């Protein structure tokens, strides 16, 4: 029987994966606050950073440092506490743990030990950006951070050239111009894109445009190379939609009379971002069209 001074517990023993705000502290959920308050311990990517968040909400739960490069024995000790009946929270510096953040090894180890792992969902920059990009959301691909070096970055983008699903990238501010420039080269200047910067914060900036327009904007405004950002890029157009795109047909109609077919196709692909095969098919059809 509980003593008159003990407080009722609302959470069962488990490892709770708790999302925290990506900027605006108002985005923390009431369930996250209750859990963080009641937890026996909070495993945090950076205890000083999370300490400030907890202090803001007057939460005094002890913190311990955990990241995926921590000694595996630490993960096991954290999980021993869950097994012993404690409520353990996992947080990262911002947003949802494990999403381009530490936690994967801990969650995997917990699952391997058949311990309860419970999500306390909330903010994540990728979904916040996608939800306002105005691009198809029924199917999308999260690519995380691109490689920092030009060669590997270019190769990774080339592997995505024909990907039809909406693409989402995290990027560091000092690399955004290089990445956008590589994307323009690989995906074509006309591919639709969206830059979401400083989401939920004072200088939140949301810019839609073609990759060409985004390169120009970011190159000419150094403010766009500051803070935190997400890039959303439209997927490659599929075969039959190139034929439906009036811009593709218009470009080919203008170029085909003046240039060899291959060159007209190459320029149209560059301008439209449509798939080379689709543009080639359309070019053949237009070339063979009877003159009116
Ligand atoms: N776990 C986080 C989440 O759920 O979004 C992501 C952590 S990852 C280390 C940090 C990256 O997320 C940043 O470099 C940026 O690409 C993106 N990001 C985080 N907060 C953001 C914000 N407020 N606005 C735009 N991008 C943000």
């Amino acid at each position: 029987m509980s003593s008159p001074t003990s407080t009722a517990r609302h959470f069962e023993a488990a490892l709770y994966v708790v999302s925290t705000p990506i900027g605006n502290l108002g985005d923390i959920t009431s369930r996250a606050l209750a859990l963080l308050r009641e937890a026996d311990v909070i495993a945090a990517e950076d205890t000083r950073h999370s300490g400030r968040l907890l202090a803001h909400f007057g939460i005094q739960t002890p913190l311990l440092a955990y990241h995926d490069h921590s000694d595996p024995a630490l993960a096991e000790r954290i999980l021993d506490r869950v097994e012993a009946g404690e409520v353990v929270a996992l947080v990262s510096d911002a947003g949802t743990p494990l999403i381009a953040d530490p936690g994967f090894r801990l969650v995997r180890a917990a699952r391997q030990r058949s311990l309860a792992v419970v999500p306390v969902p909330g903010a994540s920059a990728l979904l916040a950006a996608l939800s306002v990009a105005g691009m198809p959301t029924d199917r999308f691909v999260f690519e995380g951070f691109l490689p920092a070096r030009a060669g590997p970055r270019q190769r990774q983008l080339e592997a995505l050239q024909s990907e039809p699903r909406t693409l989402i990238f995290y990027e560091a501010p000092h690399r955004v111009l290089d990445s956008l420039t590589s994307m323009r080269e690989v995906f074509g200047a006309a591919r639709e894109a969206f830059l979401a910067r400083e989401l939920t914060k004072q200088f939140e900036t949301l810019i839609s445009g073609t990759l060409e327009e985004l390169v120009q904007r970011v190159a000419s405004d150094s403010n766009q190379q500051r803070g935190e950002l997400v890039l959303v890029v439209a997927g490659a157009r599929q075969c039959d939609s190139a034929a439906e795109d009036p811009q593709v047909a218009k470009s080919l109609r203008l170029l085909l009379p003046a240039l060899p077919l291959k060159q007209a196709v190459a320029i149209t692909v560059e301008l439209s971002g449509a798939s080379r095969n689709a543009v080639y098919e359309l070019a053949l059809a237009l070339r063979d069209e009877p003159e009116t």
Side-chain angles (χ1 to χ4, degrees):
M1 212 172 80
S2 59
S3 75
T5 51
S6 71
T7 40
R9 290 184 62 116
H10 304 98
F11 297 94
E12 302 283 325
L15 173 66
Y16 291 84
V17 179
V18 184
S19 299
T20 57
I22 55 169
N24 188 323
L25 295 183
D27 290 338
I28 196 152
T29 68
S30 50
R31 184 161 168 252
L33 285 177
L35 186 281
L36 293 174
R37 203 162 265 131
E38 196 175 294
D40 295 292
V41 67
I42 299 170
E45 177 182 9
D46 178 335
T47 51
R48 275 198 301 180
H49 186 100
S50 297
R52 286 195 290 275
L53 178 78
L54 297 186
H56 176 86
F57 291 106
I59 294 172
Q60 288 169 348
T61 306
L63 286 157
L64 63 80
Y66 173 81
H67 47 80
D68 279 334
H69 306 297
S70 299
D71 182 350
L74 173 64
E76 296 306 330
R77 283 201 299 279
I78 293 171
L79 297 178
D80 287 345
R81 296 181 68 160
V82 176
E83 199 160 346
E86 291 194 10
V87 170
V88 177
L90 171 70
V91 298
S92 59
D93 285 355
T96 301
L98 282 82
I99 306 302
D101 262 346
F104 166 69
R105 286 176 200 279
L106 187 64
V107 168
R108 191 162 176 81
R111 291 244 159 257
Q112 278 161 352
R113 283 172 64 166
S114 300
L115 295 171
V117 184
V118 178
V120 182
S124 189
L126 83 97
L127 289 183
L130 181 65
S131 70
V132 291
M135 292 195 206
T137 55
D138 48 346
R139 296 169 75 220
F140 59 87
V141 183
F142 174 53
E143 279 291 313
F145 289 94
L146 284 167
R149 285 174 40 238
R153 181 174 62 228
Q154 186 88 359
R155 281 194 289 283
Q156 191 150 329
L157 289 174
E158 280 166 6
L160 294 166
Q161 200 169 28
S162 315
E163 171 58 61
R165 293 170 290 185
T166 299
L167 301 160
I168 305 170
F169 302 89
Y170 283 170
E171 193 46 284
H174 60 281
R175 278 202 285 269
V176 64
L177 187 55
D178 283 347
S179 283
L180 281 170
T181 306
S182 301
M183 287 175 183
R184 178 180 65 179
E185 194 178 320
V186 176
F187 299 146
R191 183 82 74 96
E192 200 189 332
F194 181 72
L195 173 64
R197 200 172 65 81
E198 294 290 89
L199 286 161
T200 78
K201 303 189 211 176
Q202 186 181 3
F203 296 109
E204 180 176 81
T205 312
L206 308 171
I207 308 173
S208 291
T210 61
L211 282 170
E212 177 64 36
E213 287 162 349
L214 288 193
V215 167
Q216 299 303 336
R217 175 76 189 267
V218 170
S220 63
D221 177 1
S222 61
N223 279 334
Q224 304 311 326
Q225 297 173 48
R226 290 198 185 141
E228 297 192 282
L229 49 97
V230 182
L231 288 170
V232 185
V233 180
R237 296 217 184 100
Q238 289 308 281
C239 279
D240 41 358
S241 63
E244 288 161 15
D245 184 341
Q247 291 307 323
V248 171
K250 189 174 168 190
S251 159
L252 286 173
R253 283 203 167 89
L254 280 171
L255 296 172
L256 278 171
L259 295 173
L261 183 129
K262 246 175 119 174
Q263 222 175 326
V265 168
I267 294 172
T268 303
V269 168
E270 173 65 21
L271 289 173
S272 67
S275 100
R276 185 173 300 277
N277 285 348
V279 175
Y280 190 75
E281 292 286 312
L282 185 61
L284 289 176
L286 290 177
R287 190 189 59 182
D288 298 339
E289 250 181 12
E291 297 213 0
T292 49

